[in-house]
């Protein structure tokens, strides 16, 4: 059995895993925004187009850390629903700029209200914590994020290694 600190760190690890699973499940579910149903990824793209009228699919991909192809598929769904317009860029004939239709603007407003309500409920659950406690949690979360970034980097480096090459010592 580990020390009290090790046990606490293990519980923290498990809570992070649970949070990840819950967020992944939430993101995979369709959500009702007013009279419309859409997925979280669609809502993010609607928000970005509203916040950056004229944005391109490539720019969406860069912001969301997704491929332009993945963003393009979502944009096509949103176009079919009548929420997004795609128009040829006058300065670059190979690019298309995205804007919301009037219907898309209503979806954006409904999504914004829904998101604000979720945030208000969450912040209400956290009301018992002092600013100092929240700052402490934020510091811990930033350290965990650094660990995750390191894991990602090491995994990318290991995947890039030719077969038969030993993995870096810190991966063993």
């Amino acid at each position: 059995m580990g020390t009290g600190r090790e046990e606490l760190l293990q519980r923290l690890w498990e809570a992070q895993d649970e949070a990840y699973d819950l967020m992944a499940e939430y993101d995979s579910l369709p959500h009702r925004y007013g009279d419309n149903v859409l997925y979280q990824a669609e809502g993010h793209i609607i928000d970005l187009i509203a916040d950056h009228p004229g944005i391109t699919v490539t720019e969406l991909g860069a912001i969301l850390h997704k491929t332009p192809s993945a963003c393009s598929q979502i944009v096509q769904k949103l176009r079919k629903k009548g929420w997004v317009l795609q128009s040829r860029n006058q300065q670059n004939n190979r690019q298309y700029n995205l804007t919301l239709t009037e219907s898309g603007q209503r979806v954006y407003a409904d999504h914004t209200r829904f998101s604000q309500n979720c945030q208000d409920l969450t912040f209400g659950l956290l009301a018992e914590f002092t600013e100092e406690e929240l700052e402490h949690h934020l510091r811990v979360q930033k350290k965990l994020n650094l660990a995750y970034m390191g894991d990602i980097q090491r995994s990318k480096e290991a995947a890039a290694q030719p077969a038969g090459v030993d993995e870096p010592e810190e991966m063993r």
Side-chain angles (χ1 to χ4, degrees):
M1 186 125 223
T3 66
R5 179 178 179 82
E6 288 171 348
E7 290 174 17
L8 190 55
L9 289 170
Q10 185 63 39
R11 287 177 40 212
L12 181 60
W13 186 276
E14 291 165 2
Q16 282 284 306
D17 284 347
E18 181 182 10
Y20 173 81
D21 291 343
L22 291 169
M23 287 186 283
E25 181 179 0
Y26 180 82
D27 285 347
S28 72
L29 297 171
H31 304 280
R32 178 167 294 283
Y33 305 109
D35 294 331
N36 302 293
V37 174
L38 63 154
Y39 288 89
Q40 194 72 359
E42 294 171 321
H44 286 312
I45 287 183
I46 292 254
D47 289 349
L48 286 169
I49 295 170
D51 293 341
H52 308 282
I55 194 169
T56 66
V57 168
T58 302
E59 292 167 334
L60 285 173
I63 292 168
L64 296 171
H65 305 287
K66 295 182 182 279
T67 65
S69 176
C71 291
S72 182
Q73 290 175 24
I74 296 170
V75 166
Q76 292 310 315
K77 289 178 187 178
L78 297 174
R79 286 182 64 212
K80 286 180 185 174
K81 293 178 181 183
W83 298 336
V84 172
L85 291 174
Q86 192 172 24
S87 56
R88 193 174 296 276
N89 183 313
Q90 298 298 320
Q91 284 75 41
N92 183 343
N93 208 24
R94 294 175 16 192
Q95 285 186 339
Y96 289 88
N97 298 106
L98 306 172
T99 55
L100 296 181
T101 64
E102 194 173 306
S103 177
Q105 288 287 346
R106 285 192 296 276
V107 172
Y108 170 67
D110 289 340
H111 181 248
T112 300
R113 277 191 295 279
F114 180 89
S115 295
Q116 185 61 54
N117 185 51
C118 288
Q119 188 177 50
D120 291 345
L121 291 169
T122 300
F123 287 2
L125 289 171
L126 299 174
E128 68 187 74
F129 297 103
T130 66
E131 286 184 26
E132 183 179 328
E133 289 172 314
L134 293 172
E135 284 286 343
H136 184 263
H137 178 78
L138 186 57
R139 285 193 349 260
V140 170
Q141 187 62 56
K142 286 182 178 185
K143 290 292 184 183
L144 289 169
N145 291 352
L146 284 174
Y148 296 143
M149 284 187 255
D151 291 345
I152 290 167
Q153 184 62 37
R154 286 185 296 279
S155 293
K156 286 179 178 179
E157 290 168 0
Q161 293 289 329
V165 175
D166 286 339
E167 61 188 16
E169 190 173 311
E170 62 267 11
M171 293 287 291
R172 293 182 206 152

mmCIF file of all heavy atoms in Angstrom, residues 12-28 141 144-145 148 152:
data_model
loop_
_atom_site.group_PDB
_atom_site.id
_atom_site.type_symbol
_atom_site.label_atom_id
_atom_site.label_comp_id
_atom_site.label_asym_id
_atom_site.label_seq_id
_atom_site.Cartn_x
_atom_site.Cartn_y
_atom_site.Cartn_z
ATOM 1 N N LEU A 12 -6.739 11.337 -7.520
ATOM 2 C CA LEU A 12 -6.769 12.467 -8.446
ATOM 3 C C LEU A 12 -6.727 11.962 -9.889
ATOM 4 O O LEU A 12 -7.479 12.423 -10.751
ATOM 5 C CB LEU A 12 -5.609 13.414 -8.163
ATOM 6 C CG LEU A 12 -5.501 14.669 -9.020
ATOM 7 C CD1 LEU A 12 -6.744 15.534 -8.881
ATOM 8 C CD2 LEU A 12 -4.261 15.459 -8.621
ATOM 9 N N TRP A 13 -5.845 11.002 -10.144
ATOM 10 C CA TRP A 13 -5.721 10.396 -11.476
ATOM 11 C C TRP A 13 -7.060 9.788 -11.898
ATOM 12 O O TRP A 13 -7.525 9.976 -13.027
ATOM 13 C CB TRP A 13 -4.632 9.321 -11.433
ATOM 14 C CG TRP A 13 -4.303 8.706 -12.746
ATOM 15 C CD1 TRP A 13 -4.958 7.679 -13.354
ATOM 16 C CD2 TRP A 13 -3.247 9.069 -13.624
ATOM 17 N NE1 TRP A 13 -4.362 7.371 -14.551
ATOM 18 C CE2 TRP A 13 -3.306 8.219 -14.731
ATOM 19 C CE3 TRP A 13 -2.247 10.033 -13.555
ATOM 20 C CZ2 TRP A 13 -2.409 8.293 -15.783
ATOM 21 C CZ3 TRP A 13 -1.349 10.103 -14.604
ATOM 22 C CH2 TRP A 13 -1.435 9.242 -15.701
ATOM 23 N N GLU A 14 -7.686 9.053 -10.990
ATOM 24 C CA GLU A 14 -8.966 8.413 -11.279
ATOM 25 C C GLU A 14 -10.068 9.441 -11.526
ATOM 26 O O GLU A 14 -10.914 9.257 -12.404
ATOM 27 C CB GLU A 14 -9.344 7.460 -10.143
ATOM 28 C CG GLU A 14 -8.445 6.242 -10.079
ATOM 29 C CD GLU A 14 -8.551 5.455 -8.783
ATOM 30 O OE1 GLU A 14 -9.366 5.815 -7.908
ATOM 31 O OE2 GLU A 14 -7.788 4.471 -8.643
ATOM 32 N N ALA A 15 -10.055 10.528 -10.767
ATOM 33 C CA ALA A 15 -11.042 11.593 -10.976
ATOM 34 C C ALA A 15 -10.846 12.252 -12.339
ATOM 35 O O ALA A 15 -11.821 12.600 -13.019
ATOM 36 C CB ALA A 15 -10.953 12.634 -9.857
ATOM 37 N N GLN A 16 -9.578 12.412 -12.762
ATOM 38 C CA GLN A 16 -9.297 12.959 -14.094
ATOM 39 C C GLN A 16 -9.824 12.018 -15.175
ATOM 40 O O GLN A 16 -10.411 12.460 -16.155
ATOM 41 C CB GLN A 16 -7.789 13.161 -14.282
ATOM 42 C CG GLN A 16 -7.239 14.372 -13.602
ATOM 43 C CD GLN A 16 -7.585 15.628 -14.367
ATOM 44 O OE1 GLN A 16 -7.316 15.744 -15.545
ATOM 45 N NE2 GLN A 16 -8.199 16.561 -13.685
ATOM 46 N N ASP A 17 -9.596 10.719 -14.998
ATOM 47 C CA ASP A 17 -10.111 9.736 -15.958
ATOM 48 C C ASP A 17 -11.630 9.801 -16.046
ATOM 49 O O ASP A 17 -12.211 9.751 -17.134
ATOM 50 C CB ASP A 17 -9.674 8.324 -15.580
ATOM 51 C CG ASP A 17 -8.223 8.031 -15.914
ATOM 52 O OD1 ASP A 17 -7.603 8.818 -16.667
ATOM 53 O OD2 ASP A 17 -7.706 7.011 -15.419
ATOM 54 N N GLU A 18 -12.280 9.909 -14.897
ATOM 55 C CA GLU A 18 -13.738 9.988 -14.878
ATOM 56 C C GLU A 18 -14.210 11.259 -15.579
ATOM 57 O O GLU A 18 -15.163 11.227 -16.367
ATOM 58 C CB GLU A 18 -14.265 9.951 -13.441
ATOM 59 C CG GLU A 18 -15.780 10.004 -13.365
ATOM 60 C CD GLU A 18 -16.314 10.012 -11.946
ATOM 61 O OE1 GLU A 18 -15.522 10.167 -10.989
ATOM 62 O OE2 GLU A 18 -17.541 9.876 -11.794
ATOM 63 N N ALA A 19 -13.538 12.379 -15.310
ATOM 64 C CA ALA A 19 -13.909 13.640 -15.966
ATOM 65 C C ALA A 19 -13.755 13.527 -17.478
ATOM 66 O O ALA A 19 -14.628 13.973 -18.232
ATOM 67 C CB ALA A 19 -13.054 14.788 -15.422
ATOM 68 N N TYR A 20 -12.662 12.911 -17.920
ATOM 69 C CA TYR A 20 -12.451 12.731 -19.358
ATOM 70 C C TYR A 20 -13.578 11.900 -19.960
ATOM 71 O O TYR A 20 -14.133 12.249 -20.999
ATOM 72 C CB TYR A 20 -11.101 12.060 -19.634
ATOM 73 C CG TYR A 20 -10.945 11.719 -21.089
ATOM 74 C CD1 TYR A 20 -10.554 12.696 -22.006
ATOM 75 C CD2 TYR A 20 -11.244 10.447 -21.557
ATOM 76 C CE1 TYR A 20 -10.453 12.397 -23.358
ATOM 77 C CE2 TYR A 20 -11.144 10.146 -22.904
ATOM 78 C CZ TYR A 20 -10.753 11.125 -23.798
ATOM 79 O OH TYR A 20 -10.672 10.829 -25.126
ATOM 80 N N ASP A 21 -13.924 10.785 -19.307
ATOM 81 C CA ASP A 21 -14.992 9.919 -19.816
ATOM 82 C C ASP A 21 -16.325 10.671 -19.890
ATOM 83 O O ASP A 21 -17.074 10.534 -20.862
ATOM 84 C CB ASP A 21 -15.143 8.674 -18.947
ATOM 85 C CG ASP A 21 -13.963 7.720 -19.057
ATOM 86 O OD1 ASP A 21 -13.180 7.828 -20.030
ATOM 87 O OD2 ASP A 21 -13.809 6.869 -18.150
ATOM 88 N N LEU A 22 -16.626 11.448 -18.863
ATOM 89 C CA LEU A 22 -17.873 12.211 -18.854
ATOM 90 C C LEU A 22 -17.889 13.274 -19.956
ATOM 91 O O LEU A 22 -18.913 13.465 -20.631
ATOM 92 C CB LEU A 22 -18.092 12.852 -17.480
ATOM 93 C CG LEU A 22 -18.399 11.877 -16.346
ATOM 94 C CD1 LEU A 22 -18.318 12.580 -14.997
ATOM 95 C CD2 LEU A 22 -19.761 11.222 -16.549
ATOM 96 N N MET A 23 -16.771 13.962 -20.150
ATOM 97 C CA MET A 23 -16.707 14.970 -21.215
ATOM 98 C C MET A 23 -16.832 14.326 -22.590
ATOM 99 O O MET A 23 -17.511 14.851 -23.471
ATOM 100 C CB MET A 23 -15.428 15.789 -21.110
ATOM 101 C CG MET A 23 -15.446 16.773 -19.952
ATOM 102 S SD MET A 23 -14.012 17.874 -19.928
ATOM 103 C CE MET A 23 -12.769 16.783 -19.291
ATOM 104 N N ALA A 24 -16.182 13.171 -22.771
ATOM 105 C CA ALA A 24 -16.269 12.470 -24.057
ATOM 106 C C ALA A 24 -17.706 12.031 -24.325
ATOM 107 O O ALA A 24 -18.207 12.163 -25.449
ATOM 108 C CB ALA A 24 -15.315 11.277 -24.077
ATOM 109 N N GLU A 25 -18.377 11.529 -23.294
ATOM 110 C CA GLU A 25 -19.780 11.122 -23.470
ATOM 111 C C GLU A 25 -20.643 12.335 -23.799
ATOM 112 O O GLU A 25 -21.486 12.287 -24.703
ATOM 113 C CB GLU A 25 -20.299 10.431 -22.210
ATOM 114 C CG GLU A 25 -21.737 9.974 -22.343
ATOM 115 C CD GLU A 25 -22.284 9.264 -21.113
ATOM 116 O OE1 GLU A 25 -21.550 9.102 -20.120
ATOM 117 O OE2 GLU A 25 -23.463 8.866 -21.166
ATOM 118 N N TYR A 26 -20.457 13.434 -23.068
ATOM 119 C CA TYR A 26 -21.232 14.656 -23.322
ATOM 120 C C TYR A 26 -21.030 15.132 -24.755
ATOM 121 O O TYR A 26 -21.986 15.472 -25.449
ATOM 122 C CB TYR A 26 -20.807 15.749 -22.330
ATOM 123 C CG TYR A 26 -21.558 17.040 -22.526
ATOM 124 C CD1 TYR A 26 -22.824 17.207 -21.979
ATOM 125 C CD2 TYR A 26 -21.005 18.087 -23.251
ATOM 126 C CE1 TYR A 26 -23.526 18.386 -22.163
ATOM 127 C CE2 TYR A 26 -21.697 19.264 -23.437
ATOM 128 C CZ TYR A 26 -22.963 19.421 -22.891
ATOM 129 O OH TYR A 26 -23.650 20.583 -23.081
ATOM 130 N N ASP A 27 -19.779 15.139 -25.209
ATOM 131 C CA ASP A 27 -19.483 15.608 -26.560
ATOM 132 C C ASP A 27 -20.072 14.704 -27.634
ATOM 133 O O ASP A 27 -20.331 15.148 -28.746
ATOM 134 C CB ASP A 27 -17.976 15.751 -26.775
ATOM 135 C CG ASP A 27 -17.402 16.977 -26.083
ATOM 136 O OD1 ASP A 27 -18.182 17.846 -25.640
ATOM 137 O OD2 ASP A 27 -16.164 17.065 -25.990
ATOM 138 N N SER A 28 -20.289 13.429 -27.315
ATOM 139 C CA SER A 28 -20.807 12.488 -28.311
ATOM 140 C C SER A 28 -22.329 12.534 -28.432
ATOM 141 O O SER A 28 -22.883 11.953 -29.360
ATOM 142 C CB SER A 28 -20.368 11.063 -27.967
ATOM 143 O OG SER A 28 -21.075 10.581 -26.840
ATOM 144 N N GLN A 141 -4.278 21.634 -12.086
ATOM 145 C CA GLN A 141 -4.730 21.257 -13.426
ATOM 146 C C GLN A 141 -3.701 21.631 -14.486
ATOM 147 O O GLN A 141 -3.468 20.863 -15.419
ATOM 148 C CB GLN A 141 -6.074 21.923 -13.752
ATOM 149 C CG GLN A 141 -6.673 21.442 -15.064
ATOM 150 C CD GLN A 141 -6.974 19.956 -15.053
ATOM 151 O OE1 GLN A 141 -7.697 19.478 -14.198
ATOM 152 N NE2 GLN A 141 -6.400 19.220 -15.994
ATOM 153 N N LEU A 144 -1.085 19.012 -14.433
ATOM 154 C CA LEU A 144 -1.584 17.798 -15.090
ATOM 155 C C LEU A 144 -1.571 17.967 -16.609
ATOM 156 O O LEU A 144 -1.209 17.039 -17.345
ATOM 157 C CB LEU A 144 -3.003 17.471 -14.601
ATOM 158 C CG LEU A 144 -3.106 16.975 -13.166
ATOM 159 C CD1 LEU A 144 -4.556 16.941 -12.707
ATOM 160 C CD2 LEU A 144 -2.457 15.611 -13.020
ATOM 161 N N ASN A 145 -1.947 19.136 -17.083
ATOM 162 C CA ASN A 145 -1.932 19.393 -18.527
ATOM 163 C C ASN A 145 -0.517 19.291 -19.083
ATOM 164 O O ASN A 145 -0.321 18.775 -20.184
ATOM 165 C CB ASN A 145 -2.535 20.761 -18.840
ATOM 166 C CG ASN A 145 -4.030 20.807 -18.589
ATOM 167 O OD1 ASN A 145 -4.671 19.789 -18.324
ATOM 168 N ND2 ASN A 145 -4.590 21.996 -18.654
ATOM 169 N N TYR A 148 0.180 15.687 -19.506
ATOM 170 C CA TYR A 148 -0.507 15.154 -20.688
ATOM 171 C C TYR A 148 0.212 15.578 -21.964
ATOM 172 O O TYR A 148 0.360 14.782 -22.893
ATOM 173 C CB TYR A 148 -1.964 15.606 -20.740
ATOM 174 C CG TYR A 148 -2.809 15.096 -19.591
ATOM 175 C CD1 TYR A 148 -3.785 15.889 -19.022
ATOM 176 C CD2 TYR A 148 -2.631 13.816 -19.067
ATOM 177 C CE1 TYR A 148 -4.570 15.430 -17.976
ATOM 178 C CE2 TYR A 148 -3.406 13.351 -18.020
ATOM 179 C CZ TYR A 148 -4.380 14.158 -17.483
ATOM 180 O OH TYR A 148 -5.148 13.707 -16.449
ATOM 181 N N ILE A 152 1.798 13.097 -24.767
ATOM 182 C CA ILE A 152 1.493 13.211 -26.194
ATOM 183 C C ILE A 152 2.776 13.294 -27.006
ATOM 184 O O ILE A 152 2.953 12.591 -28.001
ATOM 185 C CB ILE A 152 0.585 14.436 -26.456
ATOM 186 C CG1 ILE A 152 -0.811 14.181 -25.885
ATOM 187 C CG2 ILE A 152 0.524 14.777 -27.947
ATOM 188 C CD1 ILE A 152 -1.679 15.432 -25.817
#
